[in-house]
Amino acid sequence: MTHPMINRRHWRSVTIALLSATLAGCGGGSGGDTPTTNSSSSAITSSSTSSISSSESSSQASSNSSDTNALTRLSAQGTQWVQADGTPIALKGTNLGNWLLQEFWMMGQSTDAVNDQCTLEGVFDQRFGTAERERLMELFRDNWITERDWDQMAEFGLNVVRVPFMWNLIEDEANPYTLRSDAWEYLDRAISEAESRDMYVILDLHGAVGAQGWEHHSGCAEQNWYWDGGNGQDAAYYQDRTAWLWQQIAERYKTSDTVAGYGLLNEPWGTTPETLADNIESLYHKVREIDQEHVIILPGHSQGIDAYGNPADRGMENVAFEMHFYPGIFGWGEIGYQVHRDWLTCGINGTGGVCEWQARLSALNTPFLIGEFQPWTGLGGELGGKIARATYDTYAQHGWAATSWAYKVLSNTGGQGNGTWGMVTNQASLGLLAKADTWACAGWDSTFSAACGTSTPTVTAPGEGTQDYYLVIKAGACCDAGSLDVSLDSISLRAHETATELLSNGEFNDNSGWTAWTAGAPVNLEFNQTEHIPSGGNGTALRLTSASVSNGGLYQKVSLTGGEQYQFSGVFKDNGSTDAWAEMYLVPTQPVDGEDITGNALPQLDFNTASMAEIEALFNEFGSLDYDVHTELKHWLTTEQAPELFSLKNPPSNVTLVETDGGNQLSWSASVEPGVEGYRIYRSTVVGSAGELIAQVDNLQYLDSTAPEQTTYYQISSYAGDAESYPSTSVATTTVASALPGTVQAEHFSAMSGVQLETTSDAGGGHNIGYIDTGDWLDYLVTIEAAGTYTIEYRLASAGGSDGFSLLLGDNTLDTVAVPDTGGWQAWQSVNHSITLPAGEHTLRVKALAGSWNFNWLRVSAP
């Protein structure tokens, strides 16, 4: 699994977008759904499982079960996963990501210097020696997943866990085709702990020998040796070692009823679909030489599963296909209710989404594993929990096994925020209490409890007795185009038991009670402001502004009593900032001018310089820190009554738009479905974007008097409780041409073919165009001030470079641009050319000559 903001992927032949997570192995060196109840049998301790040596028989190793074990051998029957008696089973689970193959974003340690396991192991080898590296890795693994984690997973009602691991957990790096002396310690432990809680295990080779892709979550970034060869060996060498590895695993666990299946290769997308299918067929037969009974899981390509054909025609039996689905993430729509509704309810025509995949699998008579999916992140606690339950339930209705990514994700700030990737994360310290920034949610207007970055509405003071703390309001901007303009109001910190207010002047009528503080370039503080009041404010607000880079704010001392709870609340609003943030902290030390405040719950280490003691302390902390459990998610995954989310389908009809002097007048016909409570109006300046919710009404018309002065798109939906219909047909204002000289945002096209939108991390935020293939195009209506020669600047990104695109006016080619390798899909670089343009209104077309590039904007200026 790859961090959501690091990598970009390309796949087009499937109708959904998938998570691209390619893999690599360390090539050498020394040593890289049905809720269930806990079983009445006692769990075998980790010490007893780890005492089994690699020389013992597989029957000894895989018999870690008590006489009361309720699990039976699973197999594939038609499109179903079935138990030994032929009864179908709904496998509902999660992934133990970052345990046996590290992904640094999952533990708050991602840096440019060290961002994959191979690099970390190499740093440890160089600094401390191989023996100490091995000890540190064991310390990490022993703390990342402990018995409390297995208990938590059972409390979430899960009955299967997918265990991603890296090849060098089992094979001795220094002696190919040789098992490590402790080869089975952690897989044995996983199987034992799962079995004692009536949970199945899927063994997932996440990082194969030599790497089946280029990305960091394979363990070693920038390798693809499994397919291309490398380090003096051809591809066959790495493929043969991987086949040997799987034969050792099959020998070890062929008698285990707890193992649900073997995931041969996780997302092996460093090759073509056809080559993948042939390789997996060969690997399948290698495993079948040892184990004829376990389900073997056939990985899909980034382009789907079509290259396999029917597995039976290849002589493959008792198999399941695997894909990874991420609605709302990685360019697949936008995070929100709508994208999950479209996916889970098969689209407005009832034939897309999961229905399309079910039809494929039925034709192939083969079961399915959704090995990774993430339905709750970014949706807030309650809606995230409900969407997750609906996702698990829908997959179960189709007979699909499902394991979310992922059980545990830790962050430097801690806390659930607006919904993190983990079922559990670390508690926010009395540090960062609330955060929003323009990268996550430009234009926010929310309560602190709904903050898009971090939200901690309830805090418990640590220790005993009364101690002084400082409530800090911090805001700022960065980067070349940074500017800050945010407002805050109605800030309150109350004792839970007595409702006593601790803060003075939380309405900011003046500057009393507050002390200004700056960590760098100052922020302007304006009290008693009556403009830009956040929703829910009291009418006067604090406004923080700066025209460039800044970092600072103000603070107030409060006294907290150890062990007591306090409620933190307030509202804040972004008034058009760029590359900016607003944060609230509770810290034990008085702020000092010139010193920044982070309030981190978890330190981030530089492993190149951190001391051994610091590294050991961090790894130990992973096992002892307090968890922030996603309680709403746990509730909805275990409650008997499922939420009602998708009872509405048909949108309002006959939507019309009239542009008037007073604004854009919308009207529509009532929904024909019963139970409709009202209608929601969505507005966007980007074709194909769901846009923002601007109004909710119970009548059949709406006047938008605040529309921007550019082409604007509207859609109307009906709602009833949590349920919301599909959107109406889009209506738009008259197309507004972009003036040149000037900047044209890539997403402000008038027409396009083939591309997708995605959130950009480039300065200024917003969207960029991605998922571009050869022949795709975008049209832009422009008005050119005067004929002449201009400088044109294209804002581009690519991981690997591309032949790029042509810029056309009618049939005339104005420019041809090769896209350089910028170092990543969000590593933005400007390319400047000279271009001759005619005066007047024209349509410019950007036409792709090749894929593998992203486009954020173009800018025309006088030379």
Side-chain angles (χ1 to χ4, degrees), residues 471-645:
L471 191 287
V472 182
I473 298 170
K474 171 184 164 183
C478 75
C479 315
D480 294 339
S483 64
L484 173 70
D485 190 344
V486 299
S487 303
L488 301 94
D489 197 7
S490 304
I491 297 183
S492 172
L493 184 66
R494 294 180 181 270
H496 180 72
E497 290 294 329
T498 64
T500 302
E501 177 62 61
L502 277 68
L503 286 180
S504 172
N505 190 20
E507 288 76 32
F508 304 104
N509 296 317
D510 51 35
N511 64 357
S512 61
W514 297 97
T515 301
W517 154 83
T518 182
V523 170
N524 299 319
L525 307 174
E526 302 176 49
F527 294 86
N528 199 34
Q529 287 294 302
T530 56
E531 297 181 358
H532 304 293
I533 304 299
S535 298
N538 288 323
T540 59
L542 170 70
R543 189 176 180 189
L544 301 97
T545 60
S546 71
S548 59
V549 173
S550 57
N551 188 14
L554 65 170
Y555 65 87
Q556 183 174 151
K557 184 167 72 173
V558 295
S559 295
L560 307 182
T561 301
E564 291 192 5
Q565 285 191 336
Y566 297 86
Q567 307 299 129
F568 180 60
S569 62
V571 293
F572 62 160
K573 180 177 185 289
D574 170 33
N575 305 316
S577 305
T578 301
D579 294 339
W581 61 87
E583 302 165 347
M584 271 61 68
Y585 295 85
L586 263 176
V587 296
T589 304
Q590 183 174 357
V592 176
D593 284 344
E595 296 181 10
D596 202 1
I597 291 172
T598 64
N600 279 351
L602 194 66
Q604 184 176 65
L605 297 188
D606 180 348
F607 291 106
N608 286 291
T609 58
S611 68
M612 177 71 78
E614 289 174 318
I615 296 168
E616 291 173 335
L618 176 66
F619 288 0
N620 279 314
E621 189 174 1
F622 290 154
S624 60
L625 48 72
D626 292 332
Y627 282 163
D628 186 346
V629 177
H630 196 320
T631 53
E632 298 95 341
L633 178 63
K634 178 183 283 189
H635 166 77
W636 284 110
L637 292 190
T638 56
T639 188
E640 182 176 347
Q641 183 63 45
E644 179 58 72
L645 286 177

Side-chain angles (χ1 to χ4, degrees), residues 157 324 343 349 473 484 544 596 625 733 740 767 778 837 860:
H324 300 170
W343 167 244
N349 295 321
I473 298 170
L484 173 70
L544 301 97
D596 202 1
L625 48 72
T733 60
L740 298 182
H767 294 85
L778 301 126
L837 296 173
V860 173

Side-chain angles (χ1 to χ4, degrees), residues 718-739:
S718 56
Y719 73 90
D722 288 324
E724 183 174 346
S725 75
Y726 282 89
S728 69
T729 301
S730 178
V731 294
T733 60
T734 303
T735 301
V736 178
S738 298

Side-chain angles (χ1 to χ4, degrees), residues 804-838:
F805 58 92
S806 292
L807 183 68
L808 307 173
L809 192 157
D811 294 330
N812 298 323
T813 299
L814 303 178
D815 197 11
T816 300
V817 182
V819 180
D821 180 357
T822 66
W825 302 113
Q826 291 294 323
W828 294 95
Q829 183 175 318
S830 292
V831 174
N832 294 290
H833 284 194
S834 179
I835 189 173
T836 300
L837 296 173

Side-chain angles (χ1 to χ4, degrees), residues 66-306:
S66 68
D67 293 338
T68 60
N69 175 33
L71 304 179
T72 69
R73 183 69 59 88
L74 300 185
S75 61
Q77 183 174 303
T79 60
Q80 301 288 321
W81 294 77
V82 300
Q83 301 173 85
D85 63 0
T87 304
I89 183 172
L91 292 173
K92 168 186 170 183
T94 192
N95 277 266
L96 291 185
N98 197 57
W99 181 32
L100 304 180
L101 192 158
Q102 292 175 319
E103 297 192 34
F104 283 61
W105 71 272
M106 297 182 70
M107 54 180 170
Q109 302 302 314
S110 183
T111 66
D112 291 337
V114 178
N115 200 40
D116 62 72
Q117 185 167 321
C118 264
T119 302
L120 181 69
E121 291 178 349
V123 168
F124 285 172
D125 285 348
Q126 189 273 328
R127 295 189 63 198
F128 309 124
T130 300
E132 282 296 275
R133 180 252 277 196
E134 290 293 325
R135 183 184 68 82
L136 287 171
M137 295 303 292
E138 288 180 8
L139 182 67
F140 168 82
R141 292 169 184 146
D142 290 344
N143 280 283
W144 186 259
I145 296 294
T146 67
E147 190 146 347
R148 69 165 173 167
D149 297 298
W150 292 100
D151 289 340
Q152 275 287 350
M153 286 186 282
E155 291 174 13
F156 270 94
L158 308 180
N159 64 357
V160 65
V161 60
R162 183 171 178 253
V163 180
F165 64 94
M166 187 169 170
W167 68 273
N168 67 348
L169 183 78
I170 297 169
E171 184 183 16
D172 187 341
E173 293 176 17
N175 298 286
Y177 301 100
T178 304
L179 293 173
R180 292 170 57 108
S181 60
D182 59 351
W184 307 113
E185 176 179 354
Y186 290 99
L187 295 187
D188 279 356
R189 184 184 303 179
I191 291 169
S192 173
E193 295 285 5
E195 185 178 89
S196 70
R197 294 163 177 83
D198 287 352
M199 298 169 66
Y200 287 98
V201 169
I202 293 171
L203 298 178
D204 161 50
L205 184 56
H206 220 69
V209 187
Q212 65 270 42
W214 296 273
E215 294 181 323
H216 67 97
H217 56 275
S218 64
C220 304
E222 303 304 324
Q223 289 187 14
N224 193 38
W225 298 348
Y226 186 91
W227 302 113
D228 297 340
N231 199 31
Q233 301 289 345
D234 61 14
Y237 171 76
Y238 297 105
Q239 294 174 11
D240 187 68
R241 281 175 61 185
T242 299
W244 173 87
L245 183 75
W246 267 116
Q247 288 189 321
Q248 310 315 302
I249 296 168
E251 183 67 38
R252 182 73 174 181
Y253 299 117
K254 64 183 179 181
T255 64
S256 172
D257 291 339
T258 306
V259 174
Y262 301 140
L264 297 183
L265 291 176
N266 179 67
E267 297 177 344
W269 299 349
T271 187
T272 65
E274 293 73 21
T275 300
L276 168 63
D278 292 341
N279 176 264
I280 292 297
E281 178 184 341
S282 175
L283 197 52
Y284 164 91
H285 289 297
K286 289 290 186 181
V287 175
R288 283 289 183 246
E289 292 176 10
I290 308 299
D291 185 342
Q292 294 79 45
E293 296 189 20
H294 276 99
V295 175
I296 293 179
I297 299 166
L298 313 178
H301 192 270
S302 59
Q303 298 180 30
I305 61 175
D306 292 345

Side-chain angles (χ1 to χ4, degrees), residues 52-53 56-64 184 188 191 252-253:
I52 301 174
S53 72
E56 293 179 272
S57 70
S58 62
S59 61
Q60 288 175 298
S62 59
S63 61
N64 297 334
W184 307 113
D188 279 356
I191 291 169
R252 182 73 174 181
Y253 299 117

